[in-house]
mmCIF file of all heavy atoms in Angstrom:
data_model
loop_
_atom_site.group_PDB
_atom_site.id
_atom_site.type_symbol
_atom_site.label_atom_id
_atom_site.label_comp_id
_atom_site.label_asym_id
_atom_site.label_seq_id
_atom_site.Cartn_x
_atom_site.Cartn_y
_atom_site.Cartn_z
ATOM 1 N N PRO A 1 -18.556 7.638 34.334
ATOM 2 C CA PRO A 1 -17.588 8.563 34.938
ATOM 3 C C PRO A 1 -16.172 8.209 34.537
ATOM 4 O O PRO A 1 -15.846 7.030 34.303
ATOM 5 C CB PRO A 1 -17.821 8.404 36.434
ATOM 6 C CG PRO A 1 -18.461 7.072 36.588
ATOM 7 C CD PRO A 1 -19.283 6.850 35.350
ATOM 8 N N ARG A 2 -15.308 9.192 34.450
ATOM 9 C CA ARG A 2 -13.927 8.988 34.039
ATOM 10 C C ARG A 2 -13.207 8.102 35.047
ATOM 11 O O ARG A 2 -13.257 8.350 36.247
ATOM 12 C CB ARG A 2 -13.231 10.338 33.906
ATOM 13 C CG ARG A 2 -11.820 10.273 33.381
ATOM 14 C CD ARG A 2 -11.228 11.661 33.223
ATOM 15 N NE ARG A 2 -11.961 12.469 32.256
ATOM 16 C CZ ARG A 2 -11.381 13.336 31.423
ATOM 17 N NH1 ARG A 2 -10.069 13.500 31.434
ATOM 18 N NH2 ARG A 2 -12.105 14.030 30.583
ATOM 19 N N SER A 3 -12.502 7.070 34.525
ATOM 20 C CA SER A 3 -11.740 6.172 35.366
ATOM 21 C C SER A 3 -10.758 5.401 34.500
ATOM 22 O O SER A 3 -10.907 5.327 33.284
ATOM 23 C CB SER A 3 -12.660 5.206 36.114
ATOM 24 O OG SER A 3 -13.385 4.390 35.203
ATOM 25 N N GLY A 4 -9.756 4.800 35.137
ATOM 26 C CA GLY A 4 -8.786 4.021 34.405
ATOM 27 C C GLY A 4 -7.931 4.871 33.482
ATOM 28 O O GLY A 4 -7.691 6.062 33.723
ATOM 29 N N THR A 5 -7.449 4.257 32.412
ATOM 30 C CA THR A 5 -6.609 4.961 31.427
ATOM 31 C C THR A 5 -7.493 5.776 30.499
ATOM 32 O O THR A 5 -8.381 5.228 29.837
ATOM 33 C CB THR A 5 -5.782 3.953 30.621
ATOM 34 O OG1 THR A 5 -4.956 3.198 31.509
ATOM 35 C CG2 THR A 5 -4.933 4.667 29.594
ATOM 36 N N VAL A 6 -7.248 7.076 30.459
ATOM 37 C CA VAL A 6 -8.066 7.968 29.643
ATOM 38 C C VAL A 6 -7.516 8.019 28.218
ATOM 39 O O VAL A 6 -6.325 8.223 28.001
ATOM 40 C CB VAL A 6 -8.089 9.390 30.241
ATOM 41 C CG1 VAL A 6 -8.833 10.349 29.320
ATOM 42 C CG2 VAL A 6 -8.734 9.352 31.614
ATOM 43 N N LEU A 7 -8.413 7.828 27.260
ATOM 44 C CA LEU A 7 -8.051 7.857 25.842
ATOM 45 C C LEU A 7 -8.713 9.069 25.212
ATOM 46 O O LEU A 7 -9.931 9.097 25.001
ATOM 47 C CB LEU A 7 -8.499 6.572 25.133
ATOM 48 C CG LEU A 7 -7.949 5.256 25.698
ATOM 49 C CD1 LEU A 7 -8.545 4.062 24.951
ATOM 50 C CD2 LEU A 7 -6.451 5.223 25.660
ATOM 51 N N ALA A 8 -7.927 10.099 24.935
ATOM 52 C CA ALA A 8 -8.456 11.297 24.295
ATOM 53 C C ALA A 8 -8.645 11.045 22.812
ATOM 54 O O ALA A 8 -7.822 10.399 22.162
ATOM 55 C CB ALA A 8 -7.500 12.466 24.518
ATOM 56 N N GLY A 9 -9.740 11.536 22.262
ATOM 57 C CA GLY A 9 -10.017 11.342 20.842
ATOM 58 C C GLY A 9 -11.165 10.377 20.635
ATOM 59 O O GLY A 9 -12.032 10.217 21.483
ATOM 60 N N LEU A 10 -11.161 9.730 19.489
ATOM 61 C CA LEU A 10 -12.209 8.770 19.112
ATOM 62 C C LEU A 10 -11.629 7.371 19.082
ATOM 63 O O LEU A 10 -10.672 7.112 18.341
ATOM 64 C CB LEU A 10 -12.770 9.141 17.732
ATOM 65 C CG LEU A 10 -13.772 8.146 17.119
ATOM 66 C CD1 LEU A 10 -15.057 8.095 17.933
ATOM 67 C CD2 LEU A 10 -14.064 8.515 15.655
ATOM 68 N N VAL A 11 -12.230 6.456 19.838
ATOM 69 C CA VAL A 11 -11.819 5.056 19.803
ATOM 70 C C VAL A 11 -12.677 4.337 18.769
ATOM 71 O O VAL A 11 -13.908 4.398 18.809
ATOM 72 C CB VAL A 11 -11.980 4.396 21.185
ATOM 73 C CG1 VAL A 11 -11.752 2.883 21.088
ATOM 74 C CG2 VAL A 11 -11.002 5.013 22.188
ATOM 75 N N MET A 12 -12.006 3.683 17.839
ATOM 76 C CA MET A 12 -12.684 2.932 16.788
ATOM 77 C C MET A 12 -12.273 1.462 16.853
ATOM 78 O O MET A 12 -11.219 1.137 17.414
ATOM 79 C CB MET A 12 -12.349 3.501 15.404
ATOM 80 C CG MET A 12 -12.721 4.950 15.208
ATOM 81 S SD MET A 12 -12.491 5.515 13.494
ATOM 82 C CE MET A 12 -13.802 4.608 12.653
ATOM 83 N N PRO A 13 -13.074 0.569 16.281
ATOM 84 C CA PRO A 13 -12.628 -0.821 16.189
ATOM 85 C C PRO A 13 -11.409 -0.935 15.266
ATOM 86 O O PRO A 13 -11.250 -0.116 14.340
ATOM 87 C CB PRO A 13 -13.829 -1.557 15.593
ATOM 88 C CG PRO A 13 -14.650 -0.505 14.933
ATOM 89 C CD PRO A 13 -14.398 0.764 15.692
ATOM 90 N N GLY A 14 -10.534 -1.908 15.526
ATOM 91 C CA GLY A 14 -9.387 -2.106 14.656
ATOM 92 C C GLY A 14 -9.818 -2.356 13.220
ATOM 93 O O GLY A 14 -10.818 -3.036 12.968
ATOM 94 N N PHE A 15 -9.064 -1.827 12.273
ATOM 95 C CA PHE A 15 -9.380 -2.006 10.865
ATOM 96 C C PHE A 15 -8.846 -3.339 10.358
ATOM 97 O O PHE A 15 -7.827 -3.857 10.863
ATOM 98 C CB PHE A 15 -8.785 -0.865 10.044
ATOM 99 C CG PHE A 15 -9.403 0.482 10.337
ATOM 100 C CD1 PHE A 15 -8.748 1.393 11.147
ATOM 101 C CD2 PHE A 15 -10.648 0.809 9.827
ATOM 102 C CE1 PHE A 15 -9.314 2.620 11.423
ATOM 103 C CE2 PHE A 15 -11.225 2.024 10.099
ATOM 104 C CZ PHE A 15 -10.550 2.942 10.911
ATOM 105 N N ALA A 16 -9.509 -3.907 9.361
ATOM 106 C CA ALA A 16 -9.102 -5.167 8.747
ATOM 107 C C ALA A 16 -8.608 -4.902 7.345
ATOM 108 O O ALA A 16 -9.338 -4.323 6.519
ATOM 109 C CB ALA A 16 -10.282 -6.147 8.701
ATOM 110 N N ASN A 17 -7.392 -5.315 7.053
ATOM 111 C CA ASN A 17 -6.833 -5.189 5.711
ATOM 112 C C ASN A 17 -7.127 -6.505 4.975
ATOM 113 O O ASN A 17 -6.425 -7.498 5.142
ATOM 114 C CB ASN A 17 -5.316 -4.939 5.804
ATOM 115 C CG ASN A 17 -4.717 -4.554 4.478
ATOM 116 O OD1 ASN A 17 -5.295 -4.778 3.419
ATOM 117 N ND2 ASN A 17 -3.542 -3.946 4.512
ATOM 118 N N GLY A 18 -8.176 -6.493 4.180
ATOM 119 C CA GLY A 18 -8.664 -7.729 3.581
ATOM 120 C C GLY A 18 -7.839 -8.267 2.434
ATOM 121 O O GLY A 18 -8.027 -9.433 2.043
ATOM 122 N N HIS A 19 -6.925 -7.471 1.882
ATOM 123 C CA HIS A 19 -6.152 -7.935 0.726
ATOM 124 C C HIS A 19 -4.825 -7.216 0.674
ATOM 125 O O HIS A 19 -4.772 -6.000 0.465
ATOM 126 C CB HIS A 19 -6.920 -7.698 -0.574
ATOM 127 C CG HIS A 19 -6.263 -8.274 -1.781
ATOM 128 N ND1 HIS A 19 -6.175 -9.644 -2.005
ATOM 129 C CD2 HIS A 19 -5.637 -7.699 -2.840
ATOM 130 C CE1 HIS A 19 -5.544 -9.856 -3.146
ATOM 131 N NE2 HIS A 19 -5.195 -8.693 -3.676
ATOM 132 N N SER A 20 -3.741 -7.960 0.847
ATOM 133 C CA SER A 20 -2.405 -7.366 0.879
ATOM 134 C C SER A 20 -1.421 -8.214 0.115
ATOM 135 O O SER A 20 -1.432 -9.452 0.205
ATOM 136 C CB SER A 20 -1.940 -7.240 2.339
ATOM 137 O OG SER A 20 -0.536 -7.040 2.427
ATOM 138 N N HIS A 21 -0.527 -7.541 -0.632
ATOM 139 C CA HIS A 21 0.700 -8.149 -1.150
ATOM 140 C C HIS A 21 1.829 -7.376 -0.495
ATOM 141 O O HIS A 21 2.213 -6.287 -0.949
ATOM 142 C CB HIS A 21 0.785 -8.006 -2.670
ATOM 143 C CG HIS A 21 -0.350 -8.636 -3.421
ATOM 144 N ND1 HIS A 21 -0.583 -9.982 -3.434
ATOM 145 C CD2 HIS A 21 -1.316 -8.078 -4.204
ATOM 146 C CE1 HIS A 21 -1.644 -10.248 -4.196
ATOM 147 N NE2 HIS A 21 -2.113 -9.096 -4.672
ATOM 148 N N ALA A 22 2.400 -7.902 0.588
ATOM 149 C CA ALA A 22 3.354 -7.130 1.386
ATOM 150 C C ALA A 22 4.556 -6.680 0.553
ATOM 151 O O ALA A 22 5.036 -5.562 0.698
ATOM 152 C CB ALA A 22 3.803 -7.945 2.583
ATOM 153 N N PHE A 23 5.047 -7.555 -0.339
ATOM 154 C CA PHE A 23 6.286 -7.206 -1.024
ATOM 155 C C PHE A 23 6.101 -6.045 -1.987
ATOM 156 O O PHE A 23 7.069 -5.360 -2.360
ATOM 157 C CB PHE A 23 6.894 -8.429 -1.700
ATOM 158 C CG PHE A 23 6.320 -8.850 -3.026
ATOM 159 C CD1 PHE A 23 6.836 -8.389 -4.219
ATOM 160 C CD2 PHE A 23 5.264 -9.758 -3.073
ATOM 161 C CE1 PHE A 23 6.336 -8.809 -5.446
ATOM 162 C CE2 PHE A 23 4.744 -10.194 -4.291
ATOM 163 C CZ PHE A 23 5.278 -9.705 -5.477
ATOM 164 N N HIS A 24 4.868 -5.754 -2.403
ATOM 165 C CA HIS A 24 4.633 -4.631 -3.308
ATOM 166 C C HIS A 24 4.988 -3.295 -2.661
ATOM 167 O O HIS A 24 5.139 -2.297 -3.364
ATOM 168 C CB HIS A 24 3.172 -4.606 -3.753
ATOM 169 C CG HIS A 24 2.808 -5.685 -4.717
ATOM 170 N ND1 HIS A 24 1.591 -5.731 -5.376
ATOM 171 C CD2 HIS A 24 3.487 -6.781 -5.141
ATOM 172 C CE1 HIS A 24 1.533 -6.795 -6.150
ATOM 173 N NE2 HIS A 24 2.681 -7.448 -6.023
ATOM 174 N N ARG A 25 5.108 -3.273 -1.333
ATOM 175 C CA ARG A 25 5.466 -2.009 -0.659
ATOM 176 C C ARG A 25 6.784 -1.445 -1.192
ATOM 177 O O ARG A 25 6.984 -0.228 -1.218
ATOM 178 C CB ARG A 25 5.564 -2.273 0.863
ATOM 179 C CG ARG A 25 6.110 -1.115 1.703
ATOM 180 C CD ARG A 25 5.263 0.136 1.600
ATOM 181 N NE ARG A 25 5.789 1.208 2.429
ATOM 182 C CZ ARG A 25 6.782 2.015 2.089
ATOM 183 N NH1 ARG A 25 7.391 1.858 0.904
ATOM 184 N NH2 ARG A 25 7.188 2.985 2.882
ATOM 185 N N ALA A 26 7.671 -2.330 -1.651
ATOM 186 C CA ALA A 26 8.978 -1.866 -2.162
ATOM 187 C C ALA A 26 8.842 -1.217 -3.536
ATOM 188 O O ALA A 26 9.822 -0.687 -4.073
ATOM 189 C CB ALA A 26 9.955 -3.025 -2.244
ATOM 190 N N LEU A 27 7.624 -1.220 -4.115
ATOM 191 C CA LEU A 27 7.388 -0.559 -5.402
ATOM 192 C C LEU A 27 6.917 0.875 -5.233
ATOM 193 O O LEU A 27 6.896 1.642 -6.214
ATOM 194 C CB LEU A 27 6.306 -1.328 -6.193
ATOM 195 C CG LEU A 27 6.654 -2.736 -6.652
ATOM 196 C CD1 LEU A 27 5.404 -3.433 -7.160
ATOM 197 C CD2 LEU A 27 7.727 -2.718 -7.737
ATOM 198 N N ARG A 28 6.552 1.268 -4.030
ATOM 199 C CA ARG A 28 5.967 2.590 -3.839
ATOM 200 C C ARG A 28 6.918 3.680 -4.309
ATOM 201 O O ARG A 28 8.089 3.728 -3.909
ATOM 202 C CB ARG A 28 5.619 2.821 -2.354
ATOM 203 C CG ARG A 28 4.838 4.112 -2.125
ATOM 204 C CD ARG A 28 4.624 4.365 -0.640
ATOM 205 N NE ARG A 28 3.783 3.350 -0.028
ATOM 206 C CZ ARG A 28 3.539 3.312 1.287
ATOM 207 N NH1 ARG A 28 4.083 4.211 2.099
ATOM 208 N NH2 ARG A 28 2.765 2.354 1.782
ATOM 209 N N GLY A 29 6.407 4.535 -5.167
ATOM 210 C CA GLY A 29 7.223 5.650 -5.681
ATOM 211 C C GLY A 29 8.279 5.236 -6.692
ATOM 212 O O GLY A 29 9.129 6.057 -7.072
ATOM 213 N N ARG A 30 8.233 3.981 -7.169
ATOM 214 C CA ARG A 30 9.264 3.492 -8.079
ATOM 215 C C ARG A 30 8.679 2.914 -9.385
ATOM 216 O O ARG A 30 9.383 2.184 -10.084
ATOM 217 C CB ARG A 30 10.104 2.411 -7.378
ATOM 218 C CG ARG A 30 10.953 2.952 -6.229
ATOM 219 C CD ARG A 30 11.644 1.829 -5.472
ATOM 220 N NE ARG A 30 12.545 2.347 -4.442
ATOM 221 C CZ ARG A 30 13.837 2.602 -4.601
ATOM 222 N NH1 ARG A 30 14.405 2.372 -5.766
ATOM 223 N NH2 ARG A 30 14.561 3.058 -3.595
ATOM 224 N N THR A 31 7.449 3.220 -9.699
ATOM 225 C CA THR A 31 6.817 2.634 -10.887
ATOM 226 C C THR A 31 6.224 3.672 -11.834
ATOM 227 O O THR A 31 5.336 3.366 -12.603
ATOM 228 C CB THR A 31 5.703 1.641 -10.474
ATOM 229 O OG1 THR A 31 4.672 2.375 -9.789
ATOM 230 C CG2 THR A 31 6.235 0.549 -9.575
ATOM 231 N N HIS A 32 6.739 4.891 -11.740
ATOM 232 C CA HIS A 32 6.127 5.967 -12.522
ATOM 233 C C HIS A 32 6.998 6.428 -13.679
ATOM 234 O O HIS A 32 6.769 7.484 -14.257
ATOM 235 C CB HIS A 32 5.779 7.135 -11.589
ATOM 236 C CG HIS A 32 4.850 6.728 -10.502
ATOM 237 N ND1 HIS A 32 3.494 6.581 -10.689
ATOM 238 C CD2 HIS A 32 5.075 6.394 -9.206
ATOM 239 C CE1 HIS A 32 2.925 6.198 -9.559
ATOM 240 N NE2 HIS A 32 3.866 6.067 -8.648
ATOM 241 N N HIS A 33 7.982 5.632 -14.024
ATOM 242 C CA HIS A 33 8.808 5.939 -15.195
ATOM 243 C C HIS A 33 7.954 5.802 -16.460
ATOM 244 O O HIS A 33 6.997 5.029 -16.501
ATOM 245 C CB HIS A 33 9.995 4.976 -15.286
ATOM 246 C CG HIS A 33 10.720 4.815 -13.971
ATOM 247 N ND1 HIS A 33 10.312 3.915 -13.013
ATOM 248 C CD2 HIS A 33 11.818 5.429 -13.471
ATOM 249 C CE1 HIS A 33 11.122 3.984 -11.972
ATOM 250 N NE2 HIS A 33 12.055 4.905 -12.228
ATOM 251 N N ASP A 34 8.310 6.513 -17.502
ATOM 252 C CA ASP A 34 7.566 6.452 -18.777
ATOM 253 C C ASP A 34 6.072 6.666 -18.543
ATOM 254 O O ASP A 34 5.229 5.970 -19.108
ATOM 255 C CB ASP A 34 7.811 5.104 -19.472
ATOM 256 C CG ASP A 34 9.257 4.887 -19.779
ATOM 257 O OD1 ASP A 34 9.952 5.859 -20.133
ATOM 258 O OD2 ASP A 34 9.713 3.723 -19.672
ATOM 259 N N ARG A 35 5.749 7.608 -17.676
ATOM 260 C CA ARG A 35 4.379 7.981 -17.325
ATOM 261 C C ARG A 35 3.667 6.899 -16.538
ATOM 262 O O ARG A 35 2.463 6.990 -16.293
ATOM 263 C CB ARG A 35 3.577 8.359 -18.578
ATOM 264 C CG ARG A 35 4.177 9.547 -19.324
ATOM 265 C CD ARG A 35 3.363 9.915 -20.546
ATOM 266 N NE ARG A 35 2.031 10.434 -20.195
ATOM 267 C CZ ARG A 35 1.146 10.817 -21.098
ATOM 268 N NH1 ARG A 35 1.428 10.740 -22.384
ATOM 269 N NH2 ARG A 35 -0.040 11.274 -20.717
ATOM 270 N N GLY A 36 4.390 5.860 -16.106
ATOM 271 C CA GLY A 36 3.822 4.902 -15.160
ATOM 272 C C GLY A 36 2.674 4.088 -15.688
ATOM 273 O O GLY A 36 1.599 4.015 -15.078
ATOM 274 N N THR A 37 2.835 3.436 -16.843
ATOM 275 C CA THR A 37 1.787 2.582 -17.367
ATOM 276 C C THR A 37 1.649 1.324 -16.498
ATOM 277 O O THR A 37 2.499 1.013 -15.667
ATOM 278 C CB THR A 37 2.109 2.149 -18.808
ATOM 279 O OG1 THR A 37 3.255 1.274 -18.776
ATOM 280 C CG2 THR A 37 2.372 3.350 -19.695
ATOM 281 N N PHE A 38 0.565 0.577 -16.718
ATOM 282 C CA PHE A 38 0.402 -0.695 -16.014
ATOM 283 C C PHE A 38 1.583 -1.621 -16.311
ATOM 284 O O PHE A 38 2.060 -2.346 -15.423
ATOM 285 C CB PHE A 38 -0.903 -1.388 -16.423
ATOM 286 C CG PHE A 38 -1.051 -2.774 -15.837
ATOM 287 C CD1 PHE A 38 -1.432 -2.961 -14.531
ATOM 288 C CD2 PHE A 38 -0.752 -3.904 -16.607
ATOM 289 C CE1 PHE A 38 -1.537 -4.233 -13.979
ATOM 290 C CE2 PHE A 38 -0.848 -5.174 -16.073
ATOM 291 C CZ PHE A 38 -1.262 -5.335 -14.756
ATOM 292 N N TRP A 39 2.078 -1.581 -17.530
ATOM 293 C CA TRP A 39 3.152 -2.506 -17.912
ATOM 294 C C TRP A 39 4.472 -2.097 -17.265
ATOM 295 O O TRP A 39 5.298 -2.942 -16.913
ATOM 296 C CB TRP A 39 3.266 -2.579 -19.429
ATOM 297 C CG TRP A 39 1.965 -3.026 -20.009
ATOM 298 C CD1 TRP A 39 1.063 -2.288 -20.719
ATOM 299 C CD2 TRP A 39 1.369 -4.333 -19.859
ATOM 300 N NE1 TRP A 39 -0.033 -3.033 -21.025
ATOM 301 C CE2 TRP A 39 0.117 -4.285 -20.521
ATOM 302 C CE3 TRP A 39 1.767 -5.516 -19.241
ATOM 303 C CZ2 TRP A 39 -0.737 -5.394 -20.568
ATOM 304 C CZ3 TRP A 39 0.913 -6.606 -19.294
ATOM 305 C CH2 TRP A 39 -0.318 -6.534 -19.952
ATOM 306 N N THR A 40 4.676 -0.779 -17.065
ATOM 307 C CA THR A 40 5.835 -0.331 -16.293
ATOM 308 C C THR A 40 5.777 -0.914 -14.894
ATOM 309 O O THR A 40 6.757 -1.432 -14.375
ATOM 310 C CB THR A 40 5.839 1.216 -16.188
ATOM 311 O OG1 THR A 40 5.851 1.770 -17.494
ATOM 312 C CG2 THR A 40 7.048 1.703 -15.417
ATOM 313 N N TRP A 41 4.599 -0.808 -14.292
ATOM 314 C CA TRP A 41 4.403 -1.342 -12.941
ATOM 315 C C TRP A 41 4.651 -2.848 -12.903
ATOM 316 O O TRP A 41 5.343 -3.358 -12.015
ATOM 317 C CB TRP A 41 2.977 -1.018 -12.462
ATOM 318 C CG TRP A 41 2.686 -1.566 -11.106
ATOM 319 C CD1 TRP A 41 2.894 -0.948 -9.896
ATOM 320 C CD2 TRP A 41 2.130 -2.861 -10.798
ATOM 321 N NE1 TRP A 41 2.520 -1.780 -8.872
ATOM 322 C CE2 TRP A 41 2.048 -2.952 -9.400
ATOM 323 C CE3 TRP A 41 1.708 -3.948 -11.581
ATOM 324 C CZ2 TRP A 41 1.554 -4.092 -8.743
ATOM 325 C CZ3 TRP A 41 1.216 -5.082 -10.937
ATOM 326 C CH2 TRP A 41 1.143 -5.153 -9.547
ATOM 327 N N ARG A 42 4.067 -3.574 -13.862
ATOM 328 C CA ARG A 42 4.185 -5.032 -13.885
ATOM 329 C C ARG A 42 5.640 -5.482 -14.025
ATOM 330 O O ARG A 42 6.105 -6.414 -13.345
ATOM 331 C CB ARG A 42 3.338 -5.605 -15.021
ATOM 332 C CG ARG A 42 3.210 -7.132 -15.041
ATOM 333 C CD ARG A 42 2.229 -7.512 -16.130
ATOM 334 N NE ARG A 42 1.944 -8.934 -16.157
ATOM 335 C CZ ARG A 42 2.566 -9.804 -16.936
ATOM 336 N NH1 ARG A 42 3.563 -9.389 -17.731
ATOM 337 N NH2 ARG A 42 2.244 -11.087 -16.922
ATOM 338 N N GLU A 43 6.382 -4.827 -14.878
ATOM 339 C CA GLU A 43 7.787 -5.183 -15.061
ATOM 340 C C GLU A 43 8.596 -4.975 -13.786
ATOM 341 O O GLU A 43 9.426 -5.804 -13.415
ATOM 342 C CB GLU A 43 8.392 -4.357 -16.205
ATOM 343 C CG GLU A 43 7.880 -4.757 -17.593
ATOM 344 C CD GLU A 43 8.293 -3.781 -18.665
ATOM 345 O OE1 GLU A 43 9.077 -2.848 -18.343
ATOM 346 O OE2 GLU A 43 7.850 -3.940 -19.825
ATOM 347 N N ARG A 44 8.339 -3.873 -13.113
ATOM 348 C CA ARG A 44 9.039 -3.607 -11.856
ATOM 349 C C ARG A 44 8.633 -4.597 -10.771
ATOM 350 O O ARG A 44 9.433 -5.024 -9.942
ATOM 351 C CB ARG A 44 8.760 -2.178 -11.396
ATOM 352 C CG ARG A 44 9.276 -1.102 -12.312
ATOM 353 C CD ARG A 44 10.780 -0.932 -12.216
ATOM 354 N NE ARG A 44 11.143 -0.075 -11.096
ATOM 355 C CZ ARG A 44 12.388 0.196 -10.751
ATOM 356 N NH1 ARG A 44 13.395 -0.347 -11.428
ATOM 357 N NH2 ARG A 44 12.655 0.988 -9.736
ATOM 358 N N MET A 45 7.352 -4.976 -10.766
ATOM 359 C CA MET A 45 6.870 -5.938 -9.775
ATOM 360 C C MET A 45 7.567 -7.276 -9.959
ATOM 361 O O MET A 45 8.023 -7.912 -8.984
ATOM 362 C CB MET A 45 5.354 -6.091 -9.877
ATOM 363 C CG MET A 45 4.754 -6.979 -8.791
ATOM 364 S SD MET A 45 4.686 -8.744 -9.212
ATOM 365 C CE MET A 45 3.312 -8.740 -10.378
ATOM 366 N N TYR A 46 7.675 -7.753 -11.197
ATOM 367 C CA TYR A 46 8.357 -9.018 -11.452
ATOM 368 C C TYR A 46 9.848 -8.937 -11.118
ATOM 369 O O TYR A 46 10.445 -9.884 -10.592
ATOM 370 C CB TYR A 46 8.167 -9.463 -12.901
ATOM 371 C CG TYR A 46 6.841 -10.141 -13.165
ATOM 372 C CD1 TYR A 46 6.215 -10.025 -14.403
ATOM 373 C CD2 TYR A 46 6.232 -10.907 -12.201
ATOM 374 C CE1 TYR A 46 5.008 -10.654 -14.663
ATOM 375 C CE2 TYR A 46 5.013 -11.541 -12.447
ATOM 376 C CZ TYR A 46 4.408 -11.412 -13.679
ATOM 377 O OH TYR A 46 3.221 -12.043 -13.934
ATOM 378 N N ALA A 47 10.459 -7.792 -11.396
ATOM 379 C CA ALA A 47 11.865 -7.617 -11.057
ATOM 380 C C ALA A 47 12.056 -7.723 -9.541
ATOM 381 O O ALA A 47 13.002 -8.364 -9.054
ATOM 382 C CB ALA A 47 12.374 -6.273 -11.560
#
């Protein structure tokens, strides 16, 4: 029966992010110059 704090929707277990490089977030949307090759991305990542 309904009681306590009601949570509308679907309750799921928390997700686990198994592999992250946090600083790469600053690359989002900034590595697509020259058609965005892997080497374009790598150069921006090192910068």
Side-chain angles (χ1 to χ4, degrees):
R2 184 177 298 217
S3 61
T5 300
V6 175
L7 303 177
L10 173 67
V11 171
M12 300 187 70
F15 294 102
N17 191 341
H19 186 70
S20 163
H21 301 294
F23 80 92
H24 288 189
R25 172 61 179 82
L27 295 169
R28 187 185 296 175
R30 292 174 175 268
T31 63
H32 302 281
H33 313 84
D34 300 323
R35 299 181 67 180
T37 68
F38 174 79
W39 302 108
T40 302
W41 178 89
R42 188 174 185 265
E43 289 170 5
R44 296 285 277 176
M45 186 271 285
Y46 278 149

